[in-house]
């Protein structure tokens, strides 16, 4: 990190360094705690996040493939609710899972925007071991 003297506040650097967990992070964690997802639901949420990212980033054939996989995982989740849990109405749980995933996506997007600004103004220099995962939003 460059030394800019006293002209920058710690709060400014913290927003670029993500040196603490902020309100949005806590909101996501609290929603997950309230939902208390099963392993199947958590796997669905993680798969949906990954497939959405991959499809949005690569488009074309990859997007068509990820859409098909998302449809398959949605059908499997439906079968899990209907056949295993015997749950007739699961729309509330599904809405909560989608809300959490959207908050995660939005939070990642905002963090990537801050990283971009930090690069432009040479505030911090970060090297990622896997830049495709962290350096591009695709969200």
């Amino acid at each position: 990190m460059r030394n800019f003297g006293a002209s920058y506040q710690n709060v400014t650097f913290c927003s670029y360094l993500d040196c603490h967990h902020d309100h949005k992070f806590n909101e996501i964690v609290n929603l997950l705690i309230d939902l208390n997802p099963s392993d199947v639901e958590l796997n669905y949420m993680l798969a949906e996040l990954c497939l959405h990212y991959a499809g949005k980033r690569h488009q074309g054939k990859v997007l068509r493939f990820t859409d098909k996989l998302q449809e398959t995982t949605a059908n499997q989740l439906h079968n899990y609710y209907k056949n295993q849990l015997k749950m007739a109405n699961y729309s509330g749980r599904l809405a909560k899972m989608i809300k959490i995933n959207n908050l995660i996506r939005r939070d990642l997007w905002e963090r990537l925007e801050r990283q971009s600004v930090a690069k432009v103004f040479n505030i911090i220099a970060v090297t990622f071991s896997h830049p495709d995962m962290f350096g591009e939003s695709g969200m």
Side-chain angles (χ1 to χ4, degrees), residues 45-98:
M45 292 171 70
L46 291 171
E48 193 276 333
L49 282 168
C50 294
L51 293 170
H52 180 268
Y53 173 81
K56 193 120 172 129
R57 182 166 188 268
H58 295 287
Q59 299 294 310
K61 289 180 182 178
V62 173
L63 178 60
R64 288 189 295 279
F65 181 72
T66 58
D67 283 348
K68 187 173 177 97
L69 282 176
Q70 282 183 309
E71 183 180 342
T72 300
T73 58
N75 288 337
Q76 289 172 345
L77 184 65
H78 171 77
N79 289 336
Y80 167 74
Y81 283 130
K82 289 290 188 178
N83 300 328
Q84 221 171 329
L85 298 182
K86 309 290 188 215
M87 189 183 290
N89 185 3
Y90 56 87
S91 62
R93 287 193 68 76
L94 189 58
K96 289 177 183 179
M97 292 187 325
I98 291 169

Side-chain angles (χ1 to χ4, degrees), residues 38-50:
S38 68
D39 290 345
V40 172
E41 291 170 320
L42 196 54
N43 283 327
Y44 170 80
M45 292 171 70
L46 291 171
E48 193 276 333
L49 282 168
C50 294

Side-chain angles (χ1 to χ4, degrees), residues 13-26:
F13 285 117
C14 281
S15 70
Y16 289 103
L17 296 174
D18 191 26
C19 58
H20 63 284
H21 297 296
D22 58 11
H23 173 72
K24 290 178 186 178
F25 175 84
N26 291 331

